[in-house]
Amino acid sequence: MQSTQAGARERANAIRFLAIDAVNKAKSGHPGAPMGMADIAEVLWRHHLRHNPTNPQWVNRDRFVLSNGHGSMLIYALLHLTGYELSIDDLKQFRQLHSKTPGHPEVDITPGVETTTGPLGQGLANAVGMALAEKILARRFNRNGHTIVDHRTWVFLGDGCLMEGVSHEACSLAGVWGLDKLVCFYDDNGISIDGHVQGWFRDDTAARFRAYGWHVIGPIDGHDANAVEQATLEAKQVIGKPTLIICRTQIGWGSPNMVGTHDVHGAPLGDKETEATRAALDWPHAPFEIPETLRSAWNAQATGIALEAKWQHDFSAYAKAHPQLAAEFLRVTRRELPGDWPELKQSLHALANGITAPTASRKSSQQMLDLLVAGVPELLGGSADLTGSNLTAGKTSRAWHDHQDGDANYLSYGVREFGMAAIMNGVVLHGGLVPYGGTFAVFSDYARNGMRMSALMRQRVIYVLTHDSIGLGEDGPTHQPVEHAASLRLIPGLDLWRPCDGMETAVAWTSAIERHDGPSALMLSRQNLPQVSGAIEPATIAKGGYVLSDCEGTPEAVLIATGSEVMLAIEAQQTLKANGRQVRVVSMPCTARFDAQSIGYQQQVLPEGVRRIAVEAGHPDYWRKYVGLSGAVIGIARFGESAPAAQVYDTLGITSAQIVAAV
């Protein structure tokens, strides 16, 4: 037993010194967490993690999430040692420009990294989404005698993750959903950046997670490989509950003078302390040197290849027994749209054309979802306790009522906007499902960092943000979004759609679903809107901005509007036309899509030298990029009022008369 423990410690020390050496070389980074969690990592990655380093995208691999992403050298060391395409030279480029080893782990940058972590708590919430996706896909595709979806999600997390409120939102739901394939190792070292956490974090974490409905193990000694092994084996036997393993560790374990202090959290050890640590741990090797015996003991390529080959054999048998299911499984996991998507898209456009009466765009959206949920079965909908207001459930939506409902396609997230966003990121990263979730536009503030991470990771997550303006009226300024459209447009890679009617809403949905390189947000109205864009080709609307109503001659002004203000622009155009004025109306439901068009197209829609006037019931500053210094913006640079919608619009000057006056 002692020799086994000694071997495990030596293998763990390989992680420690790769982390120490990389942080020293970069003169930047966080060595403390990798040094403290190395023993836990050695047990998990060598004995329990099912993965294939030669194919990081193997569909039935276990998912590993380093939620405390500042300790990124821990996962980089593990990926290198186990045989991923991450060389020792890549480790030497830690935190350098365009390297495969950035300061915090980034998905699609480093082979084997499942999600971008760094903002604490979100990796843990992503993992909840991954475990949720596994459960849903297993329920949909596994059949008696054929289990093709069967893997775990493992998480490393720290005190900071548990202090962040998003951990409460996500972990509460994980208990409700009974995600027993989710196992989390809590690095309970009692240290954060400001020092010993007793001064600001005294939660009874075990009691907290038991109250969520989790199975809790420990505290155990996180530096005792046998204790970690026994805890992990116990976690794998738990049914119906996620598991938290509380591991008492020392940050910077092995450093004679910095162990257990915040000094080792986020700074290099330096030459003197590094040499002292080498001596203390009997590590005589040069920086970045790993003996071949250790490399051989760590390498998981052969095991991974065998695991995937076994799964491929099982999948072949599954495909023979259930060919249609197998084809559908491959389609959704490859993120391909259904084969009849073009026909479904045409049906959506026909449905939109059939909407003739004034209709709230949130209601138009629900009508689109009636077709989309049935035709795109990988859609996984939900709302943060606002289903009846967001109208995010379609006719074929199946709600999740308890942890037995793994085949559900609609979730009630409760009042947890941030948790919903972060969980949806995990769902889409897992692969196989396309998540969308609803809340009021004003509460996108709660979800914003999750939305930012969707964009940073370039993931297809769809946000449905209803009650998009002062048009919601009586609820008043606490619920009336003013700055939200402008601020969300500033997130790089997020497509924000604010449709003016049913057809623009249909195009927003199809564009969001067809998009594979980033998230979309649909800002939808509470109040009814007239149908005005039905004569325009959907492909033109999909460009994000287009001429909705032109004048007979050369325009002397161009009115740019979105959403509920498009009709105000048309009314102003009609008034001005009666007075002999030539004015063009441009609808711009998605500025990001318009900005992606050619300069020629943009100038065709917005001619040079013609005065431009933008109108939107939101903050005006964003529109200066389109109207210039000589143009005008009719918007709202203050908070709203509690009154019926028409009165609020009139009081704040969002009227056709104001547009006419501006021209």
Side-chain angles (χ1 to χ4, degrees):
M1 181 64 69
Q2 289 182 346
S3 61
T4 302
Q5 284 275 51
R9 178 57 49 76
E10 187 178 22
R11 290 187 292 271
N13 286 343
I15 299 171
R16 291 188 170 97
F17 283 100
L18 285 175
I20 291 169
D21 295 339
V23 172
N24 280 341
K25 187 176 187 302
K27 298 182 174 60
S28 169
H30 301 75
M35 295 171 70
M37 298 194 77
D39 297 306
I40 306 169
E42 190 274 338
V43 172
L44 174 63
W45 279 65
R46 289 198 68 255
H47 299 288
H48 300 281
L49 191 73
R50 294 170 54 86
H51 62 125
N52 182 3
T54 68
N55 180 15
Q57 299 304 313
W58 172 35
V59 69
N60 200 43
R61 68 192 182 279
D62 283 358
R63 271 62 169 176
F64 174 79
V65 174
L66 183 69
S67 188
N68 44 347
H70 55 271
S72 55
M73 269 310 303
L74 174 65
I75 191 169
Y76 297 153
L78 287 164
L79 293 170
H80 168 73
L81 290 168
T82 54
Y84 285 79
E85 193 175 327
L86 197 69
S87 69
I88 202 72
D89 288 334
D90 290 322
L91 301 191
K92 291 178 180 179
Q93 290 299 305
F94 178 55
R95 288 187 162 226
Q96 303 309 300
L97 184 65
H98 302 317
S99 77
K100 292 166 71 173
T101 49
H104 291 82
E106 295 185 40
V107 69
D108 294 333
I109 298 294
T110 313
V113 168
E114 300 284 0
T115 180
T116 299
T117 54
L120 293 176
Q122 287 199 63
L124 172 56
N126 295 165
V128 172
M130 293 175 185
L132 171 67
E134 191 274 346
K135 184 166 189 172
I136 291 174
L137 292 171
R139 182 67 177 267
R140 290 186 185 180
F141 289 102
N142 290 348
R143 293 294 183 269
N144 288 337
H146 299 280
T147 302
I148 61 165
V149 181
D150 181 17
H151 51 266
R152 299 183 186 277
T153 301
W154 308 90
V155 188
F156 281 5
L157 60 101
D159 292 303
C161 294
L162 295 182
M163 285 187 251
E164 287 287 0
V166 70
S167 69
H168 162 67
E169 297 184 21
C171 292
S172 175
L173 281 167
V176 170
W177 293 333
L179 302 180
D180 49 20
K181 298 285 188 69
L182 176 65
V183 181
C184 301
F185 294 85
Y186 167 32
D187 181 31
D188 184 12
N189 60 33
I191 294 290
S192 65
I193 292 175
D194 280 357
H196 292 273
V197 301
Q198 277 295 309
W200 49 87
F201 184 55
R202 299 185 186 180
D203 296 7
D204 186 338
T205 298
R208 171 186 165 187
F209 275 77
R210 289 191 183 102
Y212 290 151
W214 287 52
H215 180 72
V216 178
I217 300 173
I220 65 169
D221 181 352
H223 301 298
D224 182 338
N226 286 334
V228 175
E229 172 71 11
Q230 291 305 309
T232 307
L233 289 172
E234 179 181 336
K236 291 169 73 172
Q237 298 304 311
V238 174
I239 297 174
K241 295 181 177 182
T243 296
L244 179 73
I245 303 174
I246 301 175
C247 302
R248 290 276 166 81
T249 65
Q250 289 183 295
I251 191 171
W253 189 93
S255 169
N257 302 300
M258 298 173 72
V259 62
T261 71
H262 69 278
D263 297 325
V264 75
H265 169 83
L269 266 65
D271 293 341
K272 183 177 180 180
E273 188 62 18
T274 296
E275 289 309 309
T277 306
R278 290 185 192 281
L281 296 183
D282 191 22
W283 187 264
H285 313 293
F288 296 102
E289 179 187 354
I290 304 295
E292 285 304 316
T293 53
L294 281 181
R295 286 195 175 279
S296 177
W298 266 111
N299 192 286
Q301 289 182 341
T303 301
I305 291 171
L307 284 170
E308 184 172 355
K310 171 65 166 58
W311 181 86
Q312 290 287 358
H313 178 271
D314 293 343
F315 185 80
S316 296
Y318 172 80
K320 289 180 181 179
H322 305 283
Q324 291 183 329
L325 275 176
E328 179 70 355
F329 178 79
L330 292 175
R331 181 188 70 78
V332 299
T333 55
R334 290 169 179 168
R335 307 190 182 200
E336 299 170 354
L337 290 173
D340 63 349
W341 173 251
E343 292 78 13
L344 177 58
K345 191 174 175 180
Q346 288 181 354
S347 297
L348 286 166
H349 297 155
L351 173 61
N353 271 322
I355 302 173
T356 56
T359 305
S361 53
R362 61 170 177 157
K363 181 61 179 176
S364 298
S365 169
Q366 185 183 45
Q367 293 180 53
M368 304 304 142
L369 284 170
D370 288 341
L371 292 181
L372 286 169
V373 172
V376 186
E378 59 266 38
L379 281 174
L380 178 67
S383 173
D385 203 47
L386 289 168
T387 296
S389 295
N390 299 147
L391 304 183
T392 37
K395 290 180 179 177
T396 56
S397 294
R398 302 182 302 277
W400 184 307
H401 295 294
D402 60 49
H403 67 266
Q404 300 300 322
D405 294 335
D407 61 347
N409 64 3
Y410 191 85
L411 304 168
S412 291
Y413 288 95
V415 188
R416 301 181 180 96
E417 296 87 358
F418 192 2
M420 177 178 71
I423 287 170
M424 289 197 298
N425 284 337
V427 167
V428 73
L429 286 163
H430 177 278
L433 298 171
V434 179
Y436 69 90
T439 186
F440 286 168
V442 75
F443 299 139
S444 63
D445 284 337
Y446 286 131
R448 185 181 177 89
N449 205 264
M451 298 175 73
R452 181 180 187 271
M453 294 306 295
S454 302
L456 179 60
M457 295 188 287
R458 301 178 180 179
Q459 295 299 310
R460 181 174 49 177
V461 180
I462 303 171
Y463 296 92
V464 181
L465 309 176
T466 68
H467 297 60
D468 69 332
S469 70
I470 56 173
L472 66 91
E474 292 86 347
D475 277 337
T478 61
H479 283 54
Q480 292 170 1
V482 173
E483 73 277 24
H484 297 75
S487 65
L488 289 172
R489 289 182 181 119
L490 294 177
I491 297 177
L494 173 67
D495 282 358
L496 180 81
W497 291 85
R498 188 167 183 251
C500 74
D501 65 2
M503 181 58 76
E504 285 195 356
T505 302
V507 171
W509 266 112
T510 57
S511 297
I513 290 173
E514 288 177 340
R515 190 179 183 203
H516 286 273
D517 62 351
S520 302
L522 281 59
M523 288 192 74
L524 307 173
S525 74
R526 176 200 187 196
Q527 72 273 32
N528 289 336
L529 305 177
Q531 308 304 313
V532 295
S533 71
I536 308 297
E537 284 294 324
T540 299
I541 297 174
K543 294 180 178 180
Y546 62 95
V547 179
L548 173 61
S549 178
D550 213 349
C551 52
E552 295 176 358
T554 302
E556 58 185 283
V558 176
L559 306 180
I560 311 169
T562 75
S564 47
E565 289 71 69
V566 169
M567 192 59 208
L568 296 178
I570 292 176
E571 291 174 358
Q573 180 196 42
Q574 293 170 348
T575 300
L576 290 161
K577 181 180 180 181
N579 294 329
R581 309 296 295 272
Q582 300 292 319
V583 175
R584 169 183 290 181
V585 174
V586 168
S587 178
M588 196 175 289
C590 184
T591 58
R593 290 295 90 211
F594 181 74
D595 292 346
Q597 305 306 313
S598 68
I599 295 295
Y601 177 79
Q602 293 179 32
Q603 292 177 344
Q604 179 184 338
V605 174
L606 303 176
E608 293 287 349
V610 178
R611 190 178 185 219
R612 304 169 188 172
I613 300 168
V615 54
E616 184 173 64
H619 202 285
D621 285 2
Y622 181 86
W623 291 100
R624 290 291 171 189
K625 66 181 284 189
Y626 297 104
V627 304
L629 295 177
S630 64
V633 182
I634 297 171
I636 307 169
R638 51 156 287 187
F639 295 113
E641 297 282 353
S642 178
Q647 294 179 24
V648 179
Y649 267 85
D650 188 62
T651 298
L652 299 182
I654 310 298
T655 64
S656 61
Q658 284 289 103
I659 303 172
V660 170
V663 175

